[in-house]
Amino acid sequence: MANSSCSDVKVLGAWPSPFVMRVRIALNIKSVKYEFLEETIGSKSQLLLQSNPVYKKIPVLIHGGKSISESLIIVQYIDEVWSSGPSILPSDPYDRAIERFWAAYVDDKFFPSMQLINTAQGEEKAAKVEQVTEGLVLLEEAFQKSSKGKAFFGGDRIGFLDIALGPMLGWLRAIDKMGGVKLLDEVKTPGLVQWVESFCADGAVKGVIPDIEKLLEILEKMKGN
Amino acid sequence: MANTSSTTDVKVLGAWPSPFVIRVRIALNIKSVKYEFLEETFGSKSQLLLQSNPVHKKIPVFIHGGKPIAESLIIVQYIDEVWSSGPSILPSDPYDRAIARFWAAYVDDKFFPPLRLIKSAQGEEKAALVKQVTEGLDLLEEAFQKSSKGKAFFGGDRIGYLDIAFGSTLGWLRATENMGEVKLLDGAKTPGLVLWAESFCADGAVKGLIPETEKLVEFAKLLAARMKGGAPPKQ
C-alpha cells in the first residue's frame, strides 16, 4: 500500500519535461517518496533504453522493478496503486470519461500546437498563435463545465485533467512573459488564467514546476540556439 | 448497473467499416447491453454527430442517457465502469491495466496509422510502411506471449481491453494484405497472433462485427474513387 521504500519507486525523467512533471505531481498528491533519476539532455541512459525499449522516452516509472511508460498511463497507475491517498480521477464514470477526453486532447492536439511557438516567426508564428488560442478557448469552456465554480477541473482538489494540462500551461505562462504574444488572456480565458496560478501554487505542484524565472532562462537558451 | 435500460437510452453513432466503432460494439456485447446503432452516411456528417462530438466531429460517439462520449478507448473504459456487474474488460491488477493501456495506445499511435496507408502506397514508401507494420506485429507478438500467459487472449481466458483495441483492426489488416498483395500476419514470425486472431474473430462478442475482406476491399475502392475527384466534400 502506501509504504514503499524510496528506492522501490523511481522516476526516470528530466525536470523541464511537462510529461515528467505530471508523474511527479501525481506521486506528490499520494505522498509517495521516490528516487528521481535525471536523464542527461542529449543522451539516453541504459536504464531508459531497457525500461522503455518501445519509445525510449521519458517519463518512465519503475515500481518494484516493473517499468511503466506514457505519462497519462503512469498517472492512472499511480491513482490505482495508491488508492488510499486522495483520488486523482473522479469517481463518476461520465466525469472520468470527460477528463480522459480532454487529457487526450491536450496530448493529441493542444501540446503539438504549442511546439516551437516561441522560436517561430512572422506568418508561421501567427498561425501557431491562432491554433493555440483556439485550443485555449475550448479548454476554458471545459474548465467552466468541469470545475462548477471551484478552483480546479477536479473541483476543490487537483485531479487528472489538472495534472494533464497544468505543466503545459505552466510553460505557456513563461512563454507569454517573454513578450511579443499573449496566449493566456484574462479576457478570453479568465478561468484558465486564474486556474494556472492556483495550480502552480498548489502544494503538490510547487517545486515540480520551477519558478517563471527559471523557465524563462531555459526559453532564452532555446531561442539562442 | 446492469439494469435493463431501454434501447433508446444507449446509442452508438458509427459506421460498419470503422475499427474504432467496432471496439465500442464489442464492449457493449461483452456486457450484453442492447443499443441503437445509428449509421452515419458515408461522405457526410449528421447533425447529431456534429452536435455530440463538436471537437473532433468523428465516429464513434457513444450516447448514454443523452450524454455523449467520444474517443473509442475512452468509451470502452466508460462501458467497463458503468456496467461493472458484467464481465470485466480491463484487468483488475494495476500493472496489467497499465500494460494493456500502453499497447492499446501503441495500436492507435504506431500500428494502425501506417497500416491504413499501405493500400494506396507504392514502391519505397510502401516498403517502409510494411516494415513499420511487421515490426509492430513482432512487438505485439511479444506482448501477447507475456500478457496471455498461455491462454487464448491478451486478457487471458476471455477477451479484454487490448484484445478489443487490436482485434478491431483485423478486418483492415486482412483487406490490406489482399489489396497490397503483401503478407503481414505471418504464422512463421507471429504464431501466437495468428491463432489469437482466429479465436478473437470467432468469439461470441465479436462475431459479425469484423467485416469480410471483400466488403472492405469494395469500400476501399469507393473511398479511393471519391478522393480522386468524385463529388465535392460535403460539410
Side-chain angles (χ1 to χ4, degrees), chain A residues 23-32 34 203-208:
Chain A
V23 173
R24 301 178 74 185
I25 293 167
L27 289 168
N28 286 351
I29 286 174
K30 303 286 189 175
S31 304
V32 173
Y34 62 94
V205 178
K206 250 177 152 15
V208 174

Side-chain angles (χ1 to χ4, degrees), chain A residues 54-55 66-70 73 76-77 80-81 93-94 96-97 100-102 105 109, chain B residues 55-56 67-71 74 77-78 81-82 94-95 97-98 101-103 106 110:
Chain A
V54 177
Y55 295 113
K66 293 192 196 171
S67 50
I68 297 145
S69 7
E70 297 297 285
I73 292 176
Q76 292 182 85
Y77 173 82
E80 292 165 12
V81 169
Y94 179 72
R96 289 158 78 93
R100 283 175 173 140
F101 175 87
W102 286 111
Y105 175 83
K109 303 277 179 212
Chain B
V55 177
H56 300 300
K67 294 191 198 175
I69 297 149
E71 296 297 284
I74 292 175
Q77 292 182 84
Y78 173 83
E81 292 166 10
V82 169
Y95 178 73
R97 289 158 77 92
R101 284 175 173 141
F102 175 88
W103 287 111
Y106 177 86
K110 299 288 177 197

